[in-house]
Amino acid sequence: MTALVLLDHEAGSIKQPSRSAVAAAQKLGEVHVLVAGAGVQAAADAAARLPGVAKVILADAPAYDHALAEPLAALLVALAPGYSHLLAAATAIGKNVMPRAAALLDAQPISDIAGIVDADTFIRPIYAGNALATVKSADSKKVITVRAASFDPVAAEGGNAPIEAAPAVETPSMSRFVSAELSKSERPELTAARVVISGGRGMQSGDNFKLLEPIADKLGAAVGASRAAVDAGFVPNDYQVGQTGKIVAPELYVAVGISGAIQHLAGMKDSKVIVAINKDEEAPIFQVADYGLVADLFTALPELAAELERS
Amino acid sequence: MKILVPVKRVVDYNVKVRVKSDGTGVETAGVKMSMNPFDEIAVEEAVRLKEKGVATEIVAVSMGVAASAETIRTALAMGADRGILVETDVDLQPLAVAKLLKAIVAKEAPNLIIMGKQAIDDDMSATGQMLAALLGWPQGTFASKVAIEGDGVTVVREVDGGLETVALTLPAIVTTDLRLNEPRYASLPNIMKARKKPIETLKPADLGVDPAPRLTVLTVAEPPKRQAGVKVGSVAELVAKLKTEAKVI
């Protein structure tokens, strides 16, 4: 059995969620990886250095720039005959592309797996993680997205796989990239950060999210938010942690002014250590927090920043 | 322009689901059911396009048990014009739903399909992409803005690092993210009016589709529970514990 993993890459490096997807694929058999894009030789070189990868397939063509679903799904379908499993991390790209490829292969995708039982059987969260379903696939080809937080990523260095060019595939021209407006941040990405500090409705405004910044700087943390804070317009949607946002499992998760709706818990309850700061001592977030501080965040956050500065 | 809006009946957003003791699924008997929240956003977007004069007709489609007709009524009360129910007791998975929708598209010939990005029960986030593939249409998933321009549609998408804009030819599929719009509540007069709007009922066999599931659910279990930890009295104590006890900073 051989598995093919579609990799997310950026500026010549392989993104951490994709390294988790490679780790998941290694439980299934030999692993090949696919790097698609325009001018992405450096990313293919980085993919070749991932430990445990047997082959890199490089699809370097203008059609694959910006990872549009239509050409990428067509490419995966062309490559599919050689593989028993097609995987990608459950990122914006993986979630967009893999179901499209699955339908073309007449397979039911298995989304967001958190565990692998055997080659046909997988564990995946349903109902915002309030239940775990073990599902067995009857399809001859399994098309899978991987919950990155559930699999420790493979290292970025250590392998030396050969790189092979992908066959030319006819690409559909029904979709076109227009522009991207990406948040500029010096901080680590939410899904890859060792520490995440998130704000909720209790932050009261987008401006107040600045209170999180000195703490995030000190801890090298990514800044996230609850859906309530996104809905209220405090921060953009790419900050959202939860069922309908990003799933994170950092070493330390600090929830500030977040009540702890199940939809939010779905996105962070696998974090190693959870800290909650909330003035409502009945807030459900305290039921999952390792350390709870009942306090007004507007006094606690400056104190926390000062305390971290001191130590 | 005709818009098709698939809507799903799911356990209400506010219900805390409980896993059945025999491990076959989650308890749905006697539980409040509602339209999937992302599908409400899809209906709202379609209705707004109709109010702007861009769309001429909105067809709401639901699939599953007979009670799914209630979900269609909700869409009709929000402003959809008529409904189609594909009635079956089979556990419908996204591939089957996509095939059934493809058959309906062949009959209805819509120019645009707007649907939720994800159902909050199975959390698959797959049906829109799969339907687009089966139809050979482009897809604009996780939309936070939709604009019809001539014979195309421009979609602003929520992606991991921010926003991305794509231009699609029509017909196309758009899946909705939460910031696309804020769905309206149906007014009482509109709820009354919706009762008179037609709903056609079909069976999967009428559409020539075998809806059998490809994934067998072996067990459904409770996730491991996290234990509540300790309350700390001050910021200083918190920092001390994170350093010496948890050793994470």
Side-chain angles (χ1 to χ4, degrees):
Chain A
M1 273 189 300
T2 308
L4 179 66
V5 183
L6 171 68
L7 300 179
D8 279 35
H9 53 84
E10 188 176 40
S13 69
I14 306 305
K15 298 189 107 176
Q16 183 175 317
S18 292
R19 290 194 280 116
S20 289
V22 169
Q26 285 174 350
K27 296 177 190 287
L28 296 164
E30 185 171 298
V31 177
H32 295 181
V33 297
L34 172 61
V35 174
V40 290
Q41 181 66 45
D45 293 341
R49 295 194 298 271
L50 298 178
V53 168
K55 192 204 282 184
V56 177
I57 299 171
L58 170 59
D60 203 333
Y64 302 125
D65 205 6
H66 307 297
L68 292 176
E70 296 82 2
L72 274 184
L75 174 63
L76 282 167
V77 169
L79 294 168
Y83 300 98
S84 57
H85 296 75
L86 302 175
L87 301 94
T91 57
I93 292 174
K95 289 192 283 192
N96 191 33
V97 173
M98 298 312 275
R100 187 173 180 105
L104 297 172
L105 295 165
D106 195 34
Q108 167 59 48
I110 311 158
S111 303
D112 208 21
I113 63 164
I116 296 174
V117 178
D118 60 38
D120 305 317
T121 313
F122 306 90
I123 298 169
R124 57 180 303 273
I126 55 174
Y127 291 94
N130 283 295
L132 291 174
T134 302
V135 296
K136 187 176 168 77
S137 168
D139 290 319
S140 57
K141 260 181 225 315
K142 277 56 166 174
V143 181
I144 293 167
T145 57
V146 175
R147 171 169 288 214
S150 300
F151 296 88
D152 288 334
V154 298
E157 303 288 336
N160 183 21
I163 300 175
E164 191 176 279
V169 175
E170 200 184 327
T171 52
S173 62
M174 52 195 152
S175 57
R176 182 171 55 82
F177 171 84
V178 177
S179 63
E181 201 182 304
L182 301 181
S183 310
K184 284 181 194 70
S185 173
E186 300 297 306
R187 300 188 201 290
E189 288 191 32
L190 267 174
T191 51
R194 200 187 67 82
V195 179
V196 173
I197 181 164
S198 291
R201 203 199 305 270
M203 298 300 293
Q204 293 182 10
S205 75
D207 245 9
N208 289 335
F209 266 72
K210 289 200 182 85
L211 293 170
L212 302 177
E213 285 174 11
I215 301 165
D217 287 341
K218 197 75 202 156
L219 297 174
V223 176
S226 68
R227 175 169 171 174
V230 173
D231 276 352
F234 299 170
V235 287
N237 189 52
D238 54 285
Y239 279 53
Q240 193 198 155
V241 172
Q243 179 186 22
T244 57
K246 296 197 172 79
I247 312 293
V248 302
E251 296 273 303
L252 173 62
Y253 189 89
V254 185
V256 183
I258 291 176
S259 64
I262 49 175
Q263 291 81 9
H264 185 72
L265 301 185
M268 46 63 80
K269 69 185 164 62
D270 293 327
S271 304
K272 192 163 156 249
V273 174
I274 297 175
V275 169
I277 301 174
N278 202 304
K279 66 179 175 190
D280 173 12
E281 65 178 310
E282 301 298 323
I285 191 77
F286 287 120
Q287 291 162 22
V288 300
D290 299 283
Y291 301 104
L293 177 63
V294 180
D296 182 346
L297 65 92
F298 295 104
T299 52
L301 287 176
E303 270 186 57
L304 180 55
E307 187 70 28
L308 290 169
E309 190 60 46
R310 219 182 353 261
S311 52
Chain B
M1 165 184 286
K2 188 196 252 188
I3 301 179
L4 196 76
V5 184
V7 292
K8 186 175 186 182
R9 179 178 183 264
V10 299
V11 171
D12 186 82
Y13 189 76
N14 290 309
V15 171
K16 172 110 178 74
V17 299
R18 281 204 316 273
V19 173
K20 285 187 194 168
S21 53
D22 64 1
T24 56
V26 304
E27 198 56 70
T28 52
V31 167
K32 185 183 178 201
M33 306 293 282
S34 299
M35 187 190 294
N36 180 45
F38 288 103
D39 303 353
E40 287 184 338
I41 296 172
V43 175
E44 176 67 32
E45 195 66 16
V47 172
R48 288 186 190 187
L49 285 171
K50 193 174 173 198
E51 287 168 347
K52 277 191 221 154
V54 176
T56 49
E57 189 185 25
I58 302 166
V59 182
V61 183
S62 194
M63 301 184 180
V65 294
S68 303
E70 293 163 17
T71 310
I72 295 176
R73 287 282 170 220
T74 306
L76 297 177
M78 289 175 72
D81 296 293
R82 60 189 172 87
I84 299 172
L85 170 65
V86 181
E87 195 186 327
T88 175
D89 291 331
V90 173
D91 163 35
L92 290 176
Q93 292 174 353
L95 180 61
V97 174
K99 287 178 178 178
L100 290 165
L101 285 171
K102 182 189 178 196
I104 288 173
V105 168
K107 286 164 51 125
E108 295 287 340
N111 310 80
L112 182 65
I113 300 173
I114 309 179
M115 53 203 290
K117 75 162 181 176
Q118 172 178 359
I120 60 164
D121 50 4
D122 65 14
D123 285 334
M124 278 284 192
S125 193
T127 306
Q129 298 90 310
M130 298 184 80
L131 178 59
L134 296 180
L135 291 167
W137 291 8
Q139 65 193 49
T141 52
F142 324 140
S144 66
K145 200 169 171 204
V146 176
I148 308 290
E149 281 155 7
D151 55 358
V153 55
T154 302
V155 180
V156 179
R157 306 179 55 233
E158 305 270 12
V159 295
D160 289 339
L163 298 171
E164 176 188 271
T165 304
V166 292
L168 314 176
T169 56
L170 288 171
I173 290 188
V174 170
T175 76
T176 59
D177 216 318
L178 67 98
R179 291 197 302 173
L180 181 58
N181 60 50
E182 205 157 304
R184 69 194 66 191
Y185 290 102
S187 65
L188 190 58
N190 284 339
I191 292 171
M192 301 303 284
K193 250 191 267 174
R195 290 190 187 162
K196 296 206 182 72
K197 292 179 178 175
I199 297 180
E200 179 187 2
T201 302
L202 301 168
K203 300 279 185 192
D206 300 334
L207 296 166
V209 173
D210 171 10
R214 300 289 185 85
L215 296 179
T216 308
V217 177
L218 301 181
T219 59
V220 173
E222 294 259 4
K225 279 231 175 355
R226 259 193 109 93
Q227 295 301 317
V230 295
K231 293 260 170 67
V232 293
S234 69
V235 166
E237 187 188 347
L238 174 65
V239 170
K241 285 217 188 283
L242 290 177
K243 271 198 176 141
T244 55
E245 196 174 276
K247 297 188 170 66
V248 286
I249 61 170

